[in-house]
Amino acid sequence: MPEARLKTGMEEFDRALGGGIVARSLILLGGDPGIGKSTLLMQALGALARLNERVLYISGEESPEQLKLRADRLGILADNFLVLAENRFETVLSHIDESQCSVVVVDSVQSIFSPSLDSAAGSVSQIRHVTAGILDVVKRGAAACFLVGHVTKDGVLAGPKVLEHMVDTVLSFEGERSHPYRILRASKNRFGSSSEIGVFEMGDRGLQEVANPSELFLSERPEGVSGSAVTALVEGTRPILAEIQALVTGPAPGQGRRTWLGVDSQRLALMIAVLEKKLGLALADQDIFLNAVGGVRASEPAADLAVAGALLSSFMDRVAGSRTVLFGEVGLAGEARRVSNAEGRIAEAARLGFTRIIAPKANVEAAAPGRGLKLVAITHIKELASLLFQEERGFASGAEAGPVTKRTQGEKKLEESAKPGTRLRVGPNIRELRKRKGLSLPKLAKLTGIAASNLSSLELNKSSPTLNTLVRIAAAFNMKLGAFLDEVVYEKAVVRRRGQGRKLKTNIPGHAVEILAGDEPHHTLEARLVTIRAPSKPLAIPSRETDLFVYCLEGELTVQIENSGYTLKAGDSLYLLASAVARFANSGTGAVRLLLFGAPLT
Ligand code: TYD
Ligand code: MG
């Protein structure tokens, strides 16, 4: 039976509720203090009052004068809009019961107090008691009730969390106080979808609805700047364009920091691993910041390509096409995978005047033609650079980086095997690594919290792992996620001819790094050949968890370790403790070539 819904006419508000307010429902609205919860609900009640609904606003936080001031500011004047300043629980209950209103607001649950309990106002037992009482009245009566709950970042007032399972619907009002944008989001909705969002902008006269969130989320987009990419998300049923910004800086001493906002951390970790493995980017010692701009959440896999694009753009310091939108999932082997709702995403991009879309081949092939924009198909992340930075082919940042489009036989084979539908060698890799770490299946099960039977079927390639599973296994092995992505060949001895090591692309001009050994997951030593082509400024060497041995093959190297400086020439060597913070500089006239030995970074 479909529930009768009362619409406020504030479309963004009704939408977040799944189409309006259901009678006799209890709705919790959580959010940081000062974010605009009271304003939002007062406006919603004001809108209902204008539609001749009788409504009641009970505030235990503000005086009648304050409430009136706000109502005036919001332009609310109506006889059927009742306002009550009250914080005594029993009085609040009787007002809800007897008011004959269709919608009631109680602002806030923390401010309502029952003397029948010993504990203080706002304590967990008080807010539980208050909520249970209101729930009872609401279910017996006719009114729907909104309950405001303040959330604090440090969780001191853990109240609203405690209440979530008691109420029918949980809404959160999100945003930053320094920014005018607010997003109303349902995290639980017994009466409808919990994936729709409502978008508002806080102004002098309250909250304005934002009917075109894409425009809002793109409004401050800098043009001609590296590290920015636009993606097309789907929130509920609505496509929304959003900007992803990345800042990749380094190298930093030690393992690079990762900071993110509005994206899924595990998907970010996967994108970093894929960029390292498939494009050879040296990201381990880079500080990486990633942000979905404007408070939007870009956690769906469809944002992968834009996340990768923003990272690549910042790392290479290349500007992505400003009229380009990217969407698509990126799989473990770097393959671009189709996503749902492509039509809606494409239409939204066209509506906002974008001219190019980079999307998985399967999505592009299925798309209807027209709309005056160019659909560019991508099958593998290796194509991303040449598609994104269209003007210049390839992305030779250092002179050592060849064009991306040139692929080796091995890479082609891997891409073939990684086409959606075919399985990767992830399972056997995990089995091999587990054995080398001397872990039994039950032990790994214990470490990861994944059932041994599931692990076993995964190892035998009978099932594909989820990203979450891989993250947990990688943590148990103390290894990077990327270690599972490549086909592992356990050769007893590896001979590499001159120039055959894996070349890392660095973003330091004149700096080349070739990994001679140690990039196989079972290697316990790592050797790198580092070339610093011309005299250079001192460069911080990432401190690691292990010591480092440096042998100078050629040139003159100055090493600054804390307050002492040393000069190394051909044949000299240096043993560096893990704890030492060091800076290297080419202090001679010609190139410096160094051999570095250490333990592989995990
Ligand atoms: P409020 O609704 O009181 O927040 P909450 O109930 O979540 O604690 O609103 C807080 C802020 O919003 C306050 O700093 C003032 C600002 N505001 C406006 O900018 N414009 C307005 O019209 C109103 C009513 C408030
Ligand atoms: Mg308030």
Side-chain angles (χ1 to χ4, degrees), residues 37-38 61-62 70 107 150:
K37 300 179 295 297
S38 305
E61 303 213 324
E62 285 159 301
R70 183 184 343 235
D107 184 3
H150 297 296

Side-chain angles (χ1 to χ4, degrees), residues 83-104:
V83 177
L84 177 71
E86 179 60 71
N87 62 7
R88 288 165 299 175
F89 175 56
E90 283 69 21
T91 317
V92 166
L93 276 192
S94 60
H95 273 96
I96 300 175
D97 212 12
E98 291 155 18
S99 65
Q100 312 243 320
C101 285
S102 50
V103 182
V104 179

Side-chain angles (χ1 to χ4, degrees), residues 4-25:
R5 286 177 188 273
L6 191 57
K7 288 194 188 338
T8 63
M10 286 169 71
E11 279 185 28
E12 297 294 308
F13 186 82
D14 294 339
R15 181 204 307 278
L17 279 166
I21 305 165
V22 174
R24 280 182 294 275
S25 65

Side-chain angles (χ1 to χ4, degrees), residues 32-39 70 73 177 202-206:
D32 294 339
I35 205 69
K37 300 179 295 297
S38 305
T39 307
R70 183 184 343 235
R73 191 169 169 187
R177 287 186 68 175
M202 179 68 92
D204 288 344
R205 294 171 63 217

Side-chain angles (χ1 to χ4, degrees), residues 112-131:
I112 308 298
F113 174 73
S114 170
S116 70
L117 294 185
D118 287 339
S119 51
S123 66
V124 171
S125 52
Q126 281 281 359
I127 59 177
R128 232 196 258 264
H129 181 67
V130 167
T131 307

Side-chain angles (χ1 to χ4, degrees), residues 62-83:
E62 285 159 301
S63 65
E65 292 74 32
Q66 282 172 309
L67 291 169
K68 180 165 184 333
L69 265 179
R70 183 184 343 235
D72 287 346
R73 191 169 169 187
L74 298 173
I76 298 168
L77 275 175
D79 291 340
N80 47 352
F81 190 126
L82 314 178
V83 177

